Amino acid sequence: MKEEIRGIYTSKLIKKEEVMSYVKDNDRIVCHGGATSFLGLLDENIEKLHGIELFTMFLLADYYSFLKDEYKGNINHHAAFVSSAIRKALGEGQRTEINLVHFGETDSYVRNYCRPTLLAVQCSPPDEDGYLYMGYNSMGHIPAIEMADRIIVQVNPHMPRILGDCNKLHISKASCIYEDAVSMGGAPIISYTERDVAAAKIIAGRIPDGATIQIGVGRLPDALAPFLKDHRHLGVHTEVFTNSLMEMMKAGIVDNSRKSLLPGKAAFGFLDFAFAARELYDFADNNEQMEMCSISWVNNPYIIGQNKNLVSVNSCLSVDLTGQVCSEALGFKQYAGSGGQLDFVRGAKLSEGGRSYIVCNSVVEKKDGSLISKIDLTLPYGSPVTTPRNDVDAIVTEYGVAELRYRSISERARALIAIAHPSFRDELTFKAREQGYFI
């Protein structure tokens, strides 16, 4: 580190115990980057705080006091995506605010709704020029840096330095810096079901060599990688960079050589930190073949559409017989968020040669062994529509592909019934006829 930079760093360095002196009552705090150390300090001091509005994107730790109703007024929490911690709180009857945001609108959300007075970020140690790299996501940091009058930085030596201009913060802009070495851990390996594998094989056969791919979060899209081993010259433009994409880059399947936008670079908005293997953090560290870009840029459908042969693969929870897709709730029970699915569905439609696949298992098995069809006449009561039917390109289950784009309602219903679980096809046909979808 240059001597001048070291001097600035040292002048801003404080003890962890001093961090709360930078937090004021009625602050509007953006903490999208997984700064769990800072969130822990807020939680420990919650009874001393008043009127704090706290905005998180991915809340990773198991539970916090600020998710409890009894502390509303001390800290009012807003979640732009539902993680397991949020699901737990909601399941216990707590009323955490869920903000409905497409990832492509994150910058606008921060600028026009969050309006932060304070930004808290977890960063890698500074480079020779004094730039910190703000963790593993790019969720609205650019407008937050512009708007916040204080920036609290946790420097974690275990945090990878993920390259990308949107991820850089010069130490001169930090109000204070504290050092806290927090383990990045490593998520358990995902195990795939036979249904996952069957659906993944179908999609893999539809991805051409040289395509640029987007793979969504979750078990089903991630099952795709092993079946792309014979593909060549794939590129990456995706909101989330997953373990499977890392393996494909290591194997030479992804080389980004034929990309029409940012050739030679895997462009992404954040690492899949919720399911990341420890190896993924090491792979991303100073990797010049990867470029983190603002999620609002990555997920802009018009940007996505500039990639030729963009193939988007995402998962869902339920589909109705007209093609409406729900990927964020189980009835009235919020399970995730709208995320970036619709961004990429629409972006793929704008791409020359682009395709969008939404994949799901045909059924879910209950504890007693009985089955529930994920394809039905209507979405489960209370379910929101994540992707409208007019936007959907194709739905995939382990039984095949339902091509829906431009199709009539009767054609859609027949195509979806054909890829439903065989145990439900007669029932679905009866429902469709009763509704008048076909004779």
Side-chain angles (χ1 to χ4, degrees), residues 290-302:
M290 297 172 64
E291 183 164 345
M292 184 183 287
C293 305
S294 166
I295 196 71
S296 291
W297 183 86
V298 170
N299 280 48
N300 182 328
Y302 295 100

Side-chain angles (χ1 to χ4, degrees), residues 168-189:
K168 295 166 68 173
L169 172 68
H170 198 269
I171 58 172
S172 61
K173 293 187 177 181
S175 303
C176 66
I177 297 170
Y178 72 102
E179 297 174 339
D180 195 5
V182 177
S183 172
M184 302 306 295
I189 296 174

Side-chain angles (χ1 to χ4, degrees), residues 13 36-37 73 75 105 181 247 353 357 394 405 422:
L13 196 60
T36 53
S37 174
I75 297 179
E105 296 183 300
E247 296 298 341
Y357 299 102
R405 193 172 182 184

Side-chain angles (χ1 to χ4, degrees), residues 36 60 108 137 167 246 382 401:
T36 53
L60 298 183
S108 177
N137 79 51
N167 202 32
M246 171 186 68
V401 181

Side-chain angles (χ1 to χ4, degrees), residues 47-327:
E47 294 183 353
K48 301 175 185 177
L49 300 170
H50 301 282
I52 301 289
E53 300 293 330
L54 174 63
F55 302 90
T56 68
M57 184 66 72
F58 300 107
L59 201 60
L60 298 183
D62 287 342
Y63 207 64
Y64 288 105
S65 296
F66 56 69
L67 296 178
K68 298 179 180 179
D69 289 350
E70 63 187 282
Y71 291 109
K72 298 290 188 289
N74 298 93
I75 297 179
N76 303 310
H77 178 253
H78 304 257
F81 198 83
V82 179
S83 63
S84 59
I86 304 297
R87 286 195 292 272
K88 180 179 178 181
L90 293 173
E92 294 177 358
Q94 310 301 328
R95 294 172 296 173
T96 291
E97 296 287 349
I98 309 300
N99 293 65
L100 304 177
V101 183
H102 293 299
F103 283 164
E105 296 183 300
T106 301
D107 282 358
S108 177
Y109 163 68
V110 170
R111 185 174 290 112
N112 297 303
Y113 184 82
C114 302
R115 305 187 307 278
T117 58
L118 189 153
L119 169 65
V121 288
Q122 180 180 195
C123 299
S124 62
D127 63 16
E128 286 296 307
D129 296 314
Y131 284 100
L132 304 146
Y133 289 77
M134 296 179 286
Y136 34 63
N137 79 51
S138 60
M139 297 291 191
H141 286 152
I142 293 174
I145 290 169
E146 295 170 354
M147 298 179 72
D149 53 60
R150 279 150 293 139
I151 300 176
I152 295 175
V153 173
Q154 172 201 347
V155 168
N156 183 359
H158 302 304
M159 179 63 70
R161 183 174 291 163
I162 304 174
L163 304 181
D165 287 344
C166 77
N167 202 32
K168 295 166 68 173
L169 172 68
H170 198 269
I171 58 172
S172 61
K173 293 187 177 181
S175 303
C176 66
I177 297 170
Y178 72 102
E179 297 174 339
D180 195 5
V182 177
S183 172
M184 302 306 295
I189 296 174
I190 298 174
S191 58
Y192 307 120
T193 68
E194 291 183 6
R195 293 190 179 100
D196 299 338
V197 169
K201 285 181 179 178
I202 292 169
I203 296 172
R206 289 170 159 252
I207 297 177
D209 285 346
T212 295
I213 59 174
Q214 177 259 330
I215 297 178
V217 176
R219 193 188 70 240
L220 272 166
D222 213 48
L224 182 62
F227 305 103
L228 295 173
K229 61 183 179 181
D230 294 326
H231 284 61
R232 294 293 178 266
H233 307 302
L234 296 181
V236 171
H237 183 106
T238 187
E239 66 186 32
V240 54
F241 193 94
T242 62
N243 297 325
S244 60
L245 290 174
M246 171 186 68
E247 296 298 341
M248 284 191 278
M249 284 187 72
K250 286 183 173 182
I253 299 164
V254 168
D255 63 13
N256 298 295
S257 62
R258 295 188 184 175
K259 286 182 68 183
S260 47
L261 185 64
L262 288 184
K265 301 277 189 180
F268 64 102
F270 59 94
L271 287 189
D272 187 11
F273 44 83
F275 297 100
R278 174 66 250 182
E279 188 179 359
L280 180 58
Y281 297 119
D282 296 334
F283 181 76
D285 188 43
N286 279 311
N287 190 330
E288 295 184 354
Q289 294 180 326
M290 297 172 64
E291 183 164 345
M292 184 183 287
C293 305
S294 166
I295 196 71
S296 291
W297 183 86
V298 170
N299 280 48
N300 182 328
Y302 295 100
I303 297 296
I304 295 166
Q306 292 178 33
N307 293 282
K308 294 181 180 179
N309 299 313
L310 189 286
V311 179
S312 169
V313 182
N314 289 288
S315 60
C316 70
L317 297 172
S318 55
V319 184
D320 78 7
L321 286 184
T322 71
Q324 295 187 117
V325 172
C326 176
S327 304

